[in-house]
Amino acid sequence: MLLARAGAVTFYSFFGTNRPLLFAIFPPLMLITFRLSRHGTEAAVMLVAVIGGIATMQGQRPVVLIAADAATQAQAFQVFLAVILLTCLPVAAEVTARARLMVALAAHDQEMTSIATFDPLTKILNRGGFEAAARQLLLGKPSDAASLIAIDFDHFKQINDRWGHHAGDQALKHVASLLRSYTRDQDMIGRLGGDEFMILLPNAGLEAAKAVGERIRAGVHASPISIDDRFVAVISLSIGIAVSHRGERYEDLAQRADRVLYQAKRAGRNTLRWAA
């Protein structure tokens, strides 16, 4: 569309008037330069060259006003094209450079946001990302029930002490992967630090949350991890579940889920407790 407009202005400047209106070609060319950058500028200049060249060879104004002989007219037209190129191409190069810079800055911002929001080990939300998302969800739907599942890795320190922190990292990634497989796409999973995880289930009451929690507990316990192809570690989780009250803040819901989580740990671990 922009090239068509530039072509129409160029055609009118060379064929449609007897007045010297070559300057009228520059505004659409500059607009193309800013909108379409270098490739658009090159196409527009080529269009001007074709239309202006035909007009000059046919003796059409305005180039013929500069000189009477054809050789001088051709030279004048070449100078005009050179002025266009020297004017537009540096601007196009600057526009392209700025566009690339903006893309690089956007990618950098996205990377920084990801680093600030996600846990680099497990690739799930970190504490800040999870809590911010949970607060937003609970504020946005104060009348809809949501369930919060608090999860604690049983005897995680023993894995680190016996096989080292690399084995502990393997175990955390293994659990995070299983949590993703046992939850829905809309559920939010976060690693709050160390061996503590939380899952927020939107639009899920107590019975649905208990079913998810039990599926996670049983599934993780039935999925031991292999450590250095020599040792196998059986993992168990303690789980606490709390269902949100109308208009309840995330902090209060999390405290209730933590309280029942510790009830599960005191009950012997590898178990699940809940609070309505």
Side-chain angles (χ1 to χ4, degrees):
M1 191 64 173
L2 292 176
L3 285 174
R5 290 178 181 176
V9 172
T10 302
F11 186 88
Y12 179 77
S13 298
F14 280 98
F15 288 96
T17 180
N18 291 326
R19 298 178 181 180
L21 296 179
L22 289 179
F23 65 89
I25 298 174
F26 281 89
L29 286 182
M30 294 305 296
L31 181 60
I32 288 173
T33 298
F34 280 103
R35 292 285 184 85
L36 305 181
S37 70
R38 183 179 182 88
H39 294 301
T41 301
E42 292 173 348
V45 172
M46 182 63 69
L47 186 62
V48 172
V50 171
I51 295 174
I54 294 173
T56 301
M57 287 188 295
Q58 292 181 357
Q60 297 288 336
R61 296 185 179 188
V63 176
V64 295
L65 297 175
I66 299 173
D69 61 289
T72 306
Q73 292 172 6
Q75 291 175 355
F77 182 63
Q78 290 172 1
V79 170
F80 172 68
L81 290 178
V83 171
I84 290 178
L85 286 171
L86 292 175
T87 302
C88 295
L89 287 183
V91 176
E94 180 66 19
V95 170
T96 301
R98 287 177 180 270
R100 288 174 179 171
L101 178 61
M102 294 301 293
V103 170
L105 289 174
H108 177 73
D109 289 345
Q110 184 176 9
E111 182 181 0
M112 290 298 100
T113 300
S114 178
I115 291 172
T117 305
F118 288 89
D119 174 44
L121 177 65
T122 59
K123 310 305 180 185
I124 60 177
L125 292 168
N126 60 20
R127 176 183 289 274
F130 180 84
E131 291 183 346
R135 290 191 190 98
Q136 187 66 31
L137 185 141
L138 292 174
L139 286 173
K141 296 183 177 181
S143 62
D144 293 339
S147 294
L148 186 64
I149 302 178
I151 300 171
D152 194 74
F153 206 123
D154 293 335
H155 307 296
F156 179 70
K157 187 175 182 298
Q158 293 181 6
I159 294 178
N160 281 333
D161 291 344
R162 184 173 181 182
W163 291 298
H165 290 286
H166 174 69
D169 289 348
Q170 282 185 268
L172 291 170
K173 291 191 289 186
H174 178 66
V175 168
S177 176
L178 291 174
L179 295 181
R180 283 192 293 265
S181 68
Y182 291 132
T183 51
R184 306 167 297 178
D185 291 340
Q186 64 265 36
D187 298 333
M188 291 185 294
I189 308 171
R191 180 189 175 200
L192 273 66
D195 58 348
E196 300 176 13
F197 297 85
M198 275 197 176
I199 304 174
L200 185 64
L201 308 176
N203 304 316
L206 179 58
E207 293 305 314
K210 286 165 60 177
V212 173
E214 179 56 28
R215 188 160 63 244
I216 289 170
R217 186 205 63 76
V220 170
H221 194 252
S223 303
I225 63 168
S226 175
I227 300 173
D228 295 333
D229 298 324
R230 292 178 296 167
F231 305 103
V232 173
V234 177
I235 300 171
S236 68
L237 304 175
S238 295
I239 298 174
I241 299 172
V243 180
S244 66
H245 298 154
R246 181 185 293 270
E248 185 176 24
R249 298 187 312 154
Y250 164 75
E251 288 77 9
D252 298 328
L253 179 61
Q255 286 181 2
R256 294 199 293 115
D258 276 334
R259 281 198 295 268
V260 290
L261 167 63
Y262 285 107
Q263 292 175 14
K265 295 180 79 69
R266 286 194 298 268
R269 305 175 191 269
N270 190 28
T271 189
L272 182 150
R273 292 291 184 270
W274 56 87

